Amino acid sequence: MSATSINTLLENWHNRSEREKFSHEYTVRLTAHEQAKIAALAEMFPGMDEAQIVRDLIASALTELEAGMPYVAGNRVISEDEQGDPIYEDAGLTPRFLELTRKHLQDIEERKD
């Protein structure tokens, strides 16, 4: 994760910002070293429990992962920039990731109803 996203995360923990409601639980195995780091963070930020810390770290990592997916120029021109140069569709992983994210989010929201 970038220093910027880590700083934002630490600031949120320090300020104990509002949390949205969560609807799914995962079981994750951690090494002793990872577990110790989570425990240390929970001790440093007493308003946060270990589950909140793990959840926030995963959310930050997913945001960083999405932002870090490289743009791959496809064959189809979808727009032009300010100089009139063509902008090609993204043929990389990002469009597929976003499409699948929307699909799964819709499925999850439909199951809640």
Side-chain angles (χ1 to χ4, degrees):
M1 287 189 282
S2 71
T4 303
S5 64
I6 292 298
N7 290 338
T8 301
L9 188 60
L10 293 173
E11 183 178 316
N12 287 342
W13 288 346
H14 183 70
N15 294 332
R16 298 181 188 134
S17 62
E18 286 290 314
R19 303 281 172 210
E20 63 178 290
K21 298 204 184 270
F22 300 95
S23 63
H24 192 78
E25 184 174 318
Y26 289 92
T27 302
V28 179
R29 294 187 186 277
L30 301 174
T31 66
H33 193 75
E34 293 163 342
Q35 186 179 2
K37 288 179 180 182
I38 300 298
L41 288 168
E43 189 171 333
M44 290 172 63
F45 299 96
M48 303 290 297
D49 65 30
E50 291 181 7
Q52 289 172 314
I53 289 169
V54 170
R55 182 177 54 242
D56 288 351
L57 288 169
I58 291 170
S60 290
L62 288 169
T63 299
E64 187 92 7
L65 175 81
E66 181 180 347
M69 288 181 177
Y71 166 78
V72 177
N75 296 324
R76 188 169 59 102
V77 175
I78 58 169
S79 186
E80 292 181 351
D81 66 13
E82 298 82 30
Q83 289 80 34
D85 295 325
I87 298 175
Y88 294 91
E89 70 180 330
D90 188 346
L93 296 173
T94 303
R96 180 74 173 139
F97 177 71
L98 296 174
E99 174 189 336
L100 289 170
T101 298
R102 282 189 295 273
K103 176 187 128 193
H104 288 286
L105 182 58
Q106 183 178 359
D107 291 346
I108 291 165
E109 289 174 346
E110 287 174 1
R111 284 192 301 248
K112 280 199 265 185
D113 296 337

